[in-house]
Amino acid sequence: MVEINTLEGELLFGKVLTPGGILERGVIAVSAEQIFYVGEAEWLPAVYAAWPFTIEKEGLFIPGFVDVHVHGGAGHDFMYSDSEALNSITKFHCSQGTTTMLATTMTAPKAAIDQVLSEVDAYRSRNMPYAQLAGVHLEGPFISPKWPGAQNPEHIVLANIEWLEEWETHYPGLIRQVTLAPEREGALTAISWLRRHSITAALGHTDATYDEVITAAEAGLNQAVHAFNAMTALHHRKPGTVGAVLGDHRIRAEIIGDGIHVHPAVVSILAQLKGDNLLLITDAMSAAGLSDGEYKIGDLPVLVQQGIATLKDQPESLAGSTLTMIKGFRFLVQEVGLSLEAASRAASLTPAVSLGLERIIGSLEAGKQGDILLLDAELNLCDVWVQGKKITF
């Protein structure tokens, strides 16, 4: 055990968003990757008094963002990534406040998914200098051909337990979330398998009825990807997938907070119904951080115009987003009307819970990892700390 009096650390003074509310005159003591104290400045233990400090009277410290659904950024796609590309993606999203993320795949041939798992596993074995890759989110290939969205329907297959077991054997703990269509053959068995292995079982790109989703929730389904998009809609006589997601407390709901995929009023309704079960995601693709133009998501061509990504050959189909977490956080507060506390839960703590990492990340508390953001009065991002280290971009 490290003795506190042998540590050297940093004190961050200012407004601090904690699970108990905002401290107007707060302080964070961070050292050796860890937060040692969060509280009122006047109650700062004397043992930390000699540490160097940063005073930000107008700033607000909040926990780093956790993005469980992101396909790429800065011109790179997780489907075609090596260590250099992974550095570029994690650096860009870290510069936008993401401190932990999942490398999200597309519906693709098994060999392509194998390659992503291999690259991410190797990357995680080394020091990750920017946002930390907590693992992989497989968005498909076990989805519905009726709702492919920006996924290539040629690669859609039924849920395959043998593949899942092979991946888990070769890369234990690497896969943290799998998106599938719960109504498809073999899906319920896969959902049960995923939950036994502490992997989030998420519905998405699905034609499921209300009853089929409820049955899946009983089997362990516990999340919905990009709520309202690529799933059967709510009707007052046919509640569909959306109705089940809205009404079942066992299912957390992801939301793309860009005002394009879902209207702010609908996001507000979702937030009121889901409460602490709301997760902010970006669903960002390779064009995030770059200008308008032609790109790819997986192996499909994408056209980005005014920051909106659509399939080049199907302009009515959205193809991920160019969103960043800091923009999504501001959207939740400034456009949807969520409190800072509720927006922070959706952007940090609830996704940490979905990963089973809430004891390590997701909030500013003593004993947790030093993943910290400093925002100004307009909620612009000023500084980022990952594992207690201030990051220079």
Side-chain angles (χ1 to χ4, degrees):
M1 181 179 295
V2 177
E3 295 291 338
I4 290 177
N5 57 12
T6 67
L7 291 174
E8 293 184 0
E10 182 179 12
L11 301 178
L12 308 177
F13 287 90
K15 294 183 179 180
V16 181
L17 192 156
T18 75
I22 296 177
L23 305 177
E24 294 294 329
R25 298 184 66 254
V27 61
I28 305 169
V30 60
S31 175
E33 302 183 0
Q34 184 179 334
I35 295 172
F36 280 82
Y37 175 82
V38 178
E40 298 286 354
E42 61 184 299
W43 298 109
L44 177 68
V47 68
Y48 306 114
W51 288 9
F53 60 86
T54 300
I55 298 178
E56 295 288 350
K57 293 182 180 179
E58 302 302 320
L60 172 67
F61 293 102
I62 68 171
F65 300 137
V66 180
D67 191 354
V68 302
H69 192 156
V70 50
H71 294 279
H76 298 279
D77 188 314
F78 281 120
M79 293 302 301
Y80 306 100
S81 55
D82 54 18
S83 60
E84 183 177 347
L86 293 176
N87 261 346
S88 294
I89 295 171
T90 55
K91 180 179 181 179
F92 167 70
H93 284 288
C94 189
S95 75
Q96 305 301 305
T98 299
T99 52
T100 301
M101 58 197 295
L102 291 184
T104 305
T105 65
M106 300 292 294
T107 292
K110 180 177 179 295
I113 297 173
D114 290 341
Q115 181 64 27
V116 176
L117 294 174
S118 175
E119 289 289 350
V120 174
D121 185 63
Y123 186 76
R124 279 168 42 84
S125 70
R126 302 186 292 269
N127 177 52
M128 294 181 282
Y130 303 110
Q132 305 296 287
L133 288 182
V136 173
H137 167 190
L138 301 183
E139 190 180 10
F142 314 135
I143 61 174
S144 170
K146 296 181 180 179
W147 295 84
Q151 308 270 358
N152 190 333
E154 294 181 6
H155 308 312
I156 294 174
V157 296
L158 295 175
N160 191 314
I161 295 295
E162 291 183 1
W163 290 8
L164 293 171
E165 289 179 339
E166 177 188 327
W167 289 330
E168 182 64 16
T169 298
H170 288 172
Y171 309 106
L174 182 64
I175 297 174
R176 307 304 290 260
Q177 177 172 329
V178 175
T179 294
L180 45 68
E183 75 280 7
R184 299 265 282 165
E185 180 183 341
L188 295 181
T189 301
I191 289 167
S192 297
W193 185 94
L194 291 168
R195 297 306 300 130
R196 287 198 305 273
H197 290 80
S198 301
I199 299 170
T200 295
L203 65 81
H205 297 273
T206 172
D207 198 49
T209 65
Y210 175 88
D211 290 338
E212 287 169 331
V213 177
I214 298 303
T215 298
E218 291 169 354
L221 182 89
N222 62 338
Q223 199 152 300
V225 303
H226 45 51
F228 303 102
N229 291 277
M231 60 183 64
T232 55
L234 173 68
H235 184 277
H236 58 288
R237 286 190 293 273
K238 291 183 178 181
T241 300
V242 169
V245 171
L246 292 176
D248 197 315
H249 70 277
R250 294 171 293 186
I251 304 173
R252 294 183 292 265
E254 299 175 2
I255 194 70
I256 304 172
D258 61 359
I260 298 165
H261 285 77
V262 183
H263 190 283
V266 179
V267 178
S268 177
I269 293 169
L270 180 68
Q272 292 176 62
L273 290 172
K274 300 310 292 185
D276 291 352
N277 279 331
L278 180 70
L279 294 87
L280 175 67
I281 62 165
T282 63
D283 199 12
M285 45 88 70
S286 61
L290 302 179
S291 59
D292 289 353
E294 294 189 12
Y295 298 89
K296 280 190 174 183
I297 185 166
D299 58 359
L300 298 178
V302 172
L303 183 63
V304 177
Q305 295 177 302
Q306 297 181 318
I308 301 174
T310 60
L311 291 179
K312 185 177 180 181
D313 300 329
Q314 301 175 47
E316 73 284 356
S317 295
L318 293 169
S321 83
T322 60
L323 183 66
T324 61
M325 286 294 281
I326 185 59
K327 289 181 180 178
F329 179 81
R330 284 200 299 268
F331 170 81
L332 291 181
V333 175
Q334 298 171 352
E335 302 296 328
V336 178
L338 297 191
S339 66
L340 289 169
E341 292 88 342
S344 180
R345 281 198 302 271
S348 302
L349 185 55
T350 302
V353 170
S354 79
L355 296 174
L357 297 176
E358 68 274 20
R359 294 185 178 182
I360 302 172
I361 59 174
S363 59
L364 299 181
E365 298 178 80
K368 288 196 174 183
Q369 193 165 282
D371 296 344
I372 306 166
L373 308 180
L374 175 62
L375 310 183
D376 67 15
E378 286 72 44
L379 304 185
N380 297 305
L381 185 62
C382 301
D383 290 306
V384 179
W385 288 259
V386 177
Q387 295 184 336
K389 178 183 178 182
K390 189 173 182 179
I391 306 299
T392 301
F393 301 102

